Amino acid sequence: KASQKKQQFHTESPSPTRASTPKMASDTPCLGTASGPATSAEITNPMNLMQEMAIDVASIRMDVADIRGNLESLGQRVSNAETKIGRLGGRMDDHEARLVKVEDELAHQTRYAGELWDRVQDLKNRSRRNNIRVIGVPEGVEGNGLSGPTLLLSILRECLPLGETDSIEVERAHCTLGPRPTLDQRPRPIVACLLRFQDRERILRLAREAGELYWRGGKIMIFPDMSRELAAQRKLFTPARRRCMELGIRYALQYPVVLRVTVNGRQQKFKDPEEAIRELNRIPDQNRREEDPQPQRKS
């Protein structure tokens, strides 16, 4: 009986240690509800969430590692590109310096080639300073045993007032190179080289003074012989020469391409045809000035 009472006392009376320490709500796990303990699904759900979070964290770490690797490779590529750009910058500076040198050399060569061309043209035209060009002589008249120089002398003596005693010597005379024209085409010009420059100037002066020349019923013209380039340059002064003739001004087209004009006893020289025609247009026409009535003063 004593033992039974002792066991009953132990079962009914609470333990002093348990009674002294109160239980907190946070110390007990919240896996269950008030109605009963937590089920296995409720226990495995947080575990699945933790596993998914661990997988996500691992993938994020892998992505971060990939980004770091890409950044490192990108930085290396940028550094390589900067190095190449530096090298290219040096090469660009070198190429620019060489380009400037080439441009300067090209400008020098262009000026030198222009000077050489002017010298060649000057030599080419000075070699023809004893030549004259006769236009309008029919083809085939040099027959009957007449040579080129003899035919040219006969033409000049018939058209120009040359004395019989004037000793004009012609070294050579021939038609210009080219195919023989047909009957409906213009005859080829005759180029003659005179022995003396004075004879050439006298023939040209007499031809200018005569105005129009005719030989055997046909009109002929005598001009100085020059290169095609110089003839084109001198042709640009044709409007200025016509303006001088309209104004009644003395003029002369000097060698190579210089227009000399005498206005009121004062000489002016023009190398630019546009400038010459512009200055000539400023000169009042003497014929118009004479025709205009004089203004009368009021008494």
Side-chain angles (χ1 to χ4, degrees), residues 126-153:
R126 287 186 183 276
S127 64
R128 301 182 179 184
R129 64 177 184 173
N130 291 357
N131 295 359
I132 58 174
R133 186 179 290 257
V134 183
I135 300 175
V137 179
E139 293 283 342
V141 296
E142 65 275 4
N144 300 325
L146 293 177
S147 61
T150 305
L151 175 64
L152 181 65
L153 284 175

PDB file of all heavy atoms in Angstrom, residues 126-153:
ATOM      1  N   ARG A 126      57.592  79.266-131.555  1.00  0.00           N
ATOM      2  CA  ARG A 126      58.754  80.021-132.035  1.00  0.00           C
ATOM      3  C   ARG A 126      59.427  79.335-133.221  1.00  0.00           C
ATOM      4  O   ARG A 126      60.057  79.995-134.049  1.00  0.00           O
ATOM      5  CB  ARG A 126      59.747  80.223-130.898  1.00  0.00           C
ATOM      6  CG  ARG A 126      59.287  81.239-129.866  1.00  0.00           C
ATOM      7  CD  ARG A 126      60.350  81.521-128.844  1.00  0.00           C
ATOM      8  NE  ARG A 126      59.869  82.441-127.821  1.00  0.00           N
ATOM      9  CZ  ARG A 126      59.872  83.773-127.940  1.00  0.00           C
ATOM     10  NH1 ARG A 126      60.344  84.324-129.047  1.00  0.00           N
ATOM     11  NH2 ARG A 126      59.408  84.534-126.983  1.00  0.00           N
ATOM     12  N   SER A 127      59.314  78.023-133.287  1.00  0.00           N
ATOM     13  CA  SER A 127      59.856  77.334-134.465  1.00  0.00           C
ATOM     14  C   SER A 127      59.049  77.625-135.717  1.00  0.00           C
ATOM     15  O   SER A 127      59.514  77.368-136.831  1.00  0.00           O
ATOM     16  CB  SER A 127      59.891  75.824-134.214  1.00  0.00           C
ATOM     17  OG  SER A 127      58.582  75.317-134.063  1.00  0.00           O
ATOM     18  N   ARG A 128      57.832  78.184-135.560  1.00  0.00           N
ATOM     19  CA  ARG A 128      56.993  78.519-136.708  1.00  0.00           C
ATOM     20  C   ARG A 128      56.929  80.030-136.952  1.00  0.00           C
ATOM     21  O   ARG A 128      56.034  80.481-137.654  1.00  0.00           O
ATOM     22  CB  ARG A 128      55.567  78.011-136.467  1.00  0.00           C
ATOM     23  CG  ARG A 128      55.457  76.522-136.244  1.00  0.00           C
ATOM     24  CD  ARG A 128      54.006  76.121-136.064  1.00  0.00           C
ATOM     25  NE  ARG A 128      53.861  74.687-135.872  1.00  0.00           N
ATOM     26  CZ  ARG A 128      52.674  74.067-135.767  1.00  0.00           C
ATOM     27  NH1 ARG A 128      51.559  74.772-135.850  1.00  0.00           N
ATOM     28  NH2 ARG A 128      52.622  72.768-135.591  1.00  0.00           N
ATOM     29  N   ARG A 129      57.807  80.770-136.350  1.00  0.00           N
ATOM     30  CA  ARG A 129      57.686  82.219-136.455  1.00  0.00           C
ATOM     31  C   ARG A 129      57.993  82.717-137.871  1.00  0.00           C
ATOM     32  O   ARG A 129      57.668  83.865-138.204  1.00  0.00           O
ATOM     33  CB  ARG A 129      58.634  82.904-135.470  1.00  0.00           C
ATOM     34  CG  ARG A 129      60.102  82.672-135.727  1.00  0.00           C
ATOM     35  CD  ARG A 129      60.929  83.448-134.738  1.00  0.00           C
ATOM     36  NE  ARG A 129      62.364  83.324-135.009  1.00  0.00           N
ATOM     37  CZ  ARG A 129      63.295  84.021-134.372  1.00  0.00           C
ATOM     38  NH1 ARG A 129      62.949  84.879-133.448  1.00  0.00           N
ATOM     39  NH2 ARG A 129      64.564  83.863-134.667  1.00  0.00           N
ATOM     40  N   ASN A 130      58.626  81.934-138.734  1.00  0.00           N
ATOM     41  CA  ASN A 130      58.859  82.308-140.136  1.00  0.00           C
ATOM     42  C   ASN A 130      57.826  81.701-141.077  1.00  0.00           C
ATOM     43  O   ASN A 130      57.974  81.814-142.290  1.00  0.00           O
ATOM     44  CB  ASN A 130      60.259  81.881-140.585  1.00  0.00           C
ATOM     45  CG  ASN A 130      61.345  82.695-139.912  1.00  0.00           C
ATOM     46  OD1 ASN A 130      61.078  83.622-139.156  1.00  0.00           O
ATOM     47  ND2 ASN A 130      62.594  82.347-140.197  1.00  0.00           N
ATOM     48  N   ASN A 131      56.776  81.081-140.515  1.00  0.00           N
ATOM     49  CA  ASN A 131      55.799  80.394-141.350  1.00  0.00           C
ATOM     50  C   ASN A 131      54.562  81.267-141.560  1.00  0.00           C
ATOM     51  O   ASN A 131      54.197  82.089-140.710  1.00  0.00           O
ATOM     52  CB  ASN A 131      55.365  79.074-140.704  1.00  0.00           C
ATOM     53  CG  ASN A 131      56.502  78.075-140.609  1.00  0.00           C
ATOM     54  OD1 ASN A 131      57.624  78.360-141.048  1.00  0.00           O
ATOM     55  ND2 ASN A 131      56.221  76.927-140.036  1.00  0.00           N
ATOM     56  N   ILE A 132      53.928  81.059-142.695  1.00  0.00           N
ATOM     57  CA  ILE A 132      52.620  81.650-142.972  1.00  0.00           C
ATOM     58  C   ILE A 132      51.691  80.528-143.428  1.00  0.00           C
ATOM     59  O   ILE A 132      52.136  79.482-143.935  1.00  0.00           O
ATOM     60  CB  ILE A 132      52.698  82.746-144.060  1.00  0.00           C
ATOM     61  CG1 ILE A 132      53.261  82.193-145.358  1.00  0.00           C
ATOM     62  CG2 ILE A 132      53.496  83.937-143.568  1.00  0.00           C
ATOM     63  CD1 ILE A 132      53.223  83.179-146.515  1.00  0.00           C
ATOM     64  N   ARG A 133      50.400  80.757-143.241  1.00  0.00           N
ATOM     65  CA  ARG A 133      49.386  79.774-143.617  1.00  0.00           C
ATOM     66  C   ARG A 133      48.444  80.427-144.623  1.00  0.00           C
ATOM     67  O   ARG A 133      47.798  81.431-144.318  1.00  0.00           O
ATOM     68  CB  ARG A 133      48.635  79.311-142.372  1.00  0.00           C
ATOM     69  CG  ARG A 133      47.649  78.181-142.609  1.00  0.00           C
ATOM     70  CD  ARG A 133      46.988  77.799-141.292  1.00  0.00           C
ATOM     71  NE  ARG A 133      47.947  77.159-140.424  1.00  0.00           N
ATOM     72  CZ  ARG A 133      48.001  75.835-140.213  1.00  0.00           C
ATOM     73  NH1 ARG A 133      47.150  75.030-140.842  1.00  0.00           N
ATOM     74  NH2 ARG A 133      48.900  75.319-139.402  1.00  0.00           N
ATOM     75  N   VAL A 134      48.375  79.852-145.825  1.00  0.00           N
ATOM     76  CA  VAL A 134      47.551  80.381-146.915  1.00  0.00           C
ATOM     77  C   VAL A 134      46.348  79.463-147.068  1.00  0.00           C
ATOM     78  O   VAL A 134      46.497  78.244-147.294  1.00  0.00           O
ATOM     79  CB  VAL A 134      48.340  80.483-148.230  1.00  0.00           C
ATOM     80  CG1 VAL A 134      47.471  81.100-149.318  1.00  0.00           C
ATOM     81  CG2 VAL A 134      49.611  81.285-148.030  1.00  0.00           C
ATOM     82  N   ILE A 135      45.134  80.039-146.954  1.00  0.00           N
ATOM     83  CA  ILE A 135      43.886  79.276-147.011  1.00  0.00           C
ATOM     84  C   ILE A 135      43.095  79.708-148.230  1.00  0.00           C
ATOM     85  O   ILE A 135      42.974  80.906-148.519  1.00  0.00           O
ATOM     86  CB  ILE A 135      43.061  79.502-145.729  1.00  0.00           C
ATOM     87  CG1 ILE A 135      43.862  79.054-144.506  1.00  0.00           C
ATOM     88  CG2 ILE A 135      41.745  78.734-145.786  1.00  0.00           C
ATOM     89  CD1 ILE A 135      43.186  79.341-143.196  1.00  0.00           C
ATOM     90  N   GLY A 136      42.558  78.742-148.942  1.00  0.00           N
ATOM     91  CA  GLY A 136      41.704  79.020-150.091  1.00  0.00           C
ATOM     92  C   GLY A 136      42.298  78.663-151.431  1.00  0.00           C
ATOM     93  O   GLY A 136      41.614  78.802-152.467  1.00  0.00           O
ATOM     94  N   VAL A 137      43.530  78.194-151.484  1.00  0.00           N
ATOM     95  CA  VAL A 137      44.144  77.810-152.762  1.00  0.00           C
ATOM     96  C   VAL A 137      43.577  76.447-153.175  1.00  0.00           C
ATOM     97  O   VAL A 137      43.621  75.493-152.402  1.00  0.00           O
ATOM     98  CB  VAL A 137      45.679  77.749-152.637  1.00  0.00           C
ATOM     99  CG1 VAL A 137      46.304  77.323-153.946  1.00  0.00           C
ATOM    100  CG2 VAL A 137      46.219  79.093-152.183  1.00  0.00           C
ATOM    101  N   PRO A 138      43.035  76.319-154.379  1.00  0.00           N
ATOM    102  CA  PRO A 138      42.435  75.045-154.800  1.00  0.00           C
ATOM    103  C   PRO A 138      43.463  73.918-154.835  1.00  0.00           C
ATOM    104  O   PRO A 138      44.667  74.124-154.965  1.00  0.00           O
ATOM    105  CB  PRO A 138      41.875  75.354-156.195  1.00  0.00           C
ATOM    106  CG  PRO A 138      41.744  76.836-156.240  1.00  0.00           C
ATOM    107  CD  PRO A 138      42.855  77.375-155.397  1.00  0.00           C
ATOM    108  N   GLU A 139      42.947  72.705-154.727  1.00  0.00           N
ATOM    109  CA  GLU A 139      43.797  71.521-154.771  1.00  0.00           C
ATOM    110  C   GLU A 139      44.227  71.234-156.214  1.00  0.00           C
ATOM    111  O   GLU A 139      43.470  71.431-157.166  1.00  0.00           O
ATOM    112  CB  GLU A 139      43.040  70.315-154.218  1.00  0.00           C
ATOM    113  CG  GLU A 139      42.719  70.398-152.738  1.00  0.00           C
ATOM    114  CD  GLU A 139      43.919  70.091-151.878  1.00  0.00           C
ATOM    115  OE1 GLU A 139      44.885  69.497-152.400  1.00  0.00           O
ATOM    116  OE2 GLU A 139      43.896  70.449-150.683  1.00  0.00           O
ATOM    117  N   GLY A 140      45.471  70.792-156.372  1.00  0.00           N
ATOM    118  CA  GLY A 140      45.965  70.362-157.662  1.00  0.00           C
ATOM    119  C   GLY A 140      46.501  71.459-158.554  1.00  0.00           C
ATOM    120  O   GLY A 140      46.838  71.186-159.713  1.00  0.00           O
ATOM    121  N   VAL A 141      46.619  72.701-158.064  1.00  0.00           N
ATOM    122  CA  VAL A 141      47.137  73.780-158.911  1.00  0.00           C
ATOM    123  C   VAL A 141      48.653  73.762-158.978  1.00  0.00           C
ATOM    124  O   VAL A 141      49.247  74.518-159.747  1.00  0.00           O
ATOM    125  CB  VAL A 141      46.653  75.151-158.386  1.00  0.00           C
ATOM    126  CG1 VAL A 141      45.151  75.267-158.489  1.00  0.00           C
ATOM    127  CG2 VAL A 141      47.105  75.368-156.947  1.00  0.00           C
ATOM    128  N   GLU A 142      49.282  72.929-158.194  1.00  0.00           N
ATOM    129  CA  GLU A 142      50.734  72.895-158.222  1.00  0.00           C
ATOM    130  C   GLU A 142      51.264  72.050-159.367  1.00  0.00           C
ATOM    131  O   GLU A 142      52.470  71.776-159.429  1.00  0.00           O
ATOM    132  CB  GLU A 142      51.284  72.359-156.893  1.00  0.00           C
ATOM    133  CG  GLU A 142      50.921  70.907-156.587  1.00  0.00           C
ATOM    134  CD  GLU A 142      49.570  70.794-155.920  1.00  0.00           C
ATOM    135  OE1 GLU A 142      48.895  71.833-155.779  1.00  0.00           O
ATOM    136  OE2 GLU A 142      49.192  69.671-155.542  1.00  0.00           O
ATOM    137  N   GLY A 143      50.414  71.641-160.281  1.00  0.00           N
ATOM    138  CA  GLY A 143      50.874  70.870-161.426  1.00  0.00           C
ATOM    139  C   GLY A 143      51.587  71.749-162.451  1.00  0.00           C
ATOM    140  O   GLY A 143      51.995  72.877-162.180  1.00  0.00           O
ATOM    141  N   ASN A 144      51.719  71.231-163.619  1.00  0.00           N
ATOM    142  CA  ASN A 144      52.405  71.919-164.726  1.00  0.00           C
ATOM    143  C   ASN A 144      53.849  72.273-164.376  1.00  0.00           C
ATOM    144  O   ASN A 144      54.368  73.317-164.784  1.00  0.00           O
ATOM    145  CB  ASN A 144      51.646  73.193-165.132  1.00  0.00           C
ATOM    146  CG  ASN A 144      50.230  72.889-165.590  1.00  0.00           C
ATOM    147  OD1 ASN A 144      49.985  71.854-166.211  1.00  0.00           O
ATOM    148  ND2 ASN A 144      49.296  73.781-165.292  1.00  0.00           N
ATOM    149  N   GLY A 145      54.487  71.401-163.603  1.00  0.00           N
ATOM    150  CA  GLY A 145      55.900  71.614-163.290  1.00  0.00           C
ATOM    151  C   GLY A 145      56.168  72.674-162.248  1.00  0.00           C
ATOM    152  O   GLY A 145      57.330  73.051-162.058  1.00  0.00           O
ATOM    153  N   LEU A 146      55.142  73.174-161.553  1.00  0.00           N
ATOM    154  CA  LEU A 146      55.352  74.186-160.514  1.00  0.00           C
ATOM    155  C   LEU A 146      55.522  73.499-159.166  1.00  0.00           C
ATOM    156  O   LEU A 146      54.696  72.666-158.778  1.00  0.00           O
ATOM    157  CB  LEU A 146      54.165  75.159-160.457  1.00  0.00           C
ATOM    158  CG  LEU A 146      53.963  76.067-161.676  1.00  0.00           C
ATOM    159  CD1 LEU A 146      52.712  76.901-161.490  1.00  0.00           C
ATOM    160  CD2 LEU A 146      55.181  76.963-161.871  1.00  0.00           C
ATOM    161  N   SER A 147      56.582  73.860-158.483  1.00  0.00           N
ATOM    162  CA  SER A 147      56.798  73.328-157.143  1.00  0.00           C
ATOM    163  C   SER A 147      56.046  74.178-156.122  1.00  0.00           C
ATOM    164  O   SER A 147      55.470  75.230-156.455  1.00  0.00           O
ATOM    165  CB  SER A 147      58.286  73.299-156.821  1.00  0.00           C
ATOM    166  OG  SER A 147      58.828  74.613-156.851  1.00  0.00           O
ATOM    167  N   GLY A 148      56.075  73.748-154.898  1.00  0.00           N
ATOM    168  CA  GLY A 148      55.372  74.484-153.854  1.00  0.00           C
ATOM    169  C   GLY A 148      55.903  75.890-153.628  1.00  0.00           C
ATOM    170  O   GLY A 148      55.125  76.863-153.626  1.00  0.00           O
ATOM    171  N   PRO A 149      57.215  76.102-153.435  1.00  0.00           N
ATOM    172  CA  PRO A 149      57.727  77.463-153.240  1.00  0.00           C
ATOM    173  C   PRO A 149      57.485  78.373-154.434  1.00  0.00           C
ATOM    174  O   PRO A 149      57.136  79.547-154.278  1.00  0.00           O
ATOM    175  CB  PRO A 149      59.218  77.226-152.989  1.00  0.00           C
ATOM    176  CG  PRO A 149      59.307  75.855-152.448  1.00  0.00           C
ATOM    177  CD  PRO A 149      58.248  75.085-153.153  1.00  0.00           C
ATOM    178  N   THR A 150      57.650  77.837-155.675  1.00  0.00           N
ATOM    179  CA  THR A 150      57.430  78.668-156.868  1.00  0.00           C
ATOM    180  C   THR A 150      55.970  79.079-156.992  1.00  0.00           C
ATOM    181  O   THR A 150      55.650  80.238-157.316  1.00  0.00           O
ATOM    182  CB  THR A 150      57.875  77.898-158.109  1.00  0.00           C
ATOM    183  OG1 THR A 150      59.228  77.473-157.958  1.00  0.00           O
ATOM    184  CG2 THR A 150      57.764  78.761-159.350  1.00  0.00           C
ATOM    185  N   LEU A 151      55.042  78.142-156.730  1.00  0.00           N
ATOM    186  CA  LEU A 151      53.618  78.461-156.787  1.00  0.00           C
ATOM    187  C   LEU A 151      53.249  79.493-155.739  1.00  0.00           C
ATOM    188  O   LEU A 151      52.491  80.434-156.021  1.00  0.00           O
ATOM    189  CB  LEU A 151      52.805  77.178-156.594  1.00  0.00           C
ATOM    190  CG  LEU A 151      51.288  77.352-156.498  1.00  0.00           C
ATOM    191  CD1 LEU A 151      50.728  77.910-157.809  1.00  0.00           C
ATOM    192  CD2 LEU A 151      50.621  76.030-156.138  1.00  0.00           C
ATOM    193  N   LEU A 152      53.789  79.355-154.541  1.00  0.00           N
ATOM    194  CA  LEU A 152      53.457  80.313-153.487  1.00  0.00           C
ATOM    195  C   LEU A 152      53.968  81.708-153.823  1.00  0.00           C
ATOM    196  O   LEU A 152      53.258  82.702-153.610  1.00  0.00           O
ATOM    197  CB  LEU A 152      54.049  79.846-152.149  1.00  0.00           C
ATOM    198  CG  LEU A 152      53.750  80.740-150.952  1.00  0.00           C
ATOM    199  CD1 LEU A 152      52.264  80.747-150.648  1.00  0.00           C
ATOM    200  CD2 LEU A 152      54.532  80.288-149.731  1.00  0.00           C
ATOM    201  N   LEU A 153      55.167  81.809-154.378  1.00  0.00           N
ATOM    202  CA  LEU A 153      55.692  83.124-154.769  1.00  0.00           C
ATOM    203  C   LEU A 153      54.844  83.765-155.857  1.00  0.00           C
ATOM    204  O   LEU A 153      54.573  84.977-155.830  1.00  0.00           O
ATOM    205  CB  LEU A 153      57.145  82.990-155.232  1.00  0.00           C
ATOM    206  CG  LEU A 153      58.200  82.818-154.127  1.00  0.00           C
ATOM    207  CD1 LEU A 153      59.574  82.585-154.733  1.00  0.00           C
ATOM    208  CD2 LEU A 153      58.212  84.041-153.222  1.00  0.00           C
TER     209      LEU A 153
END
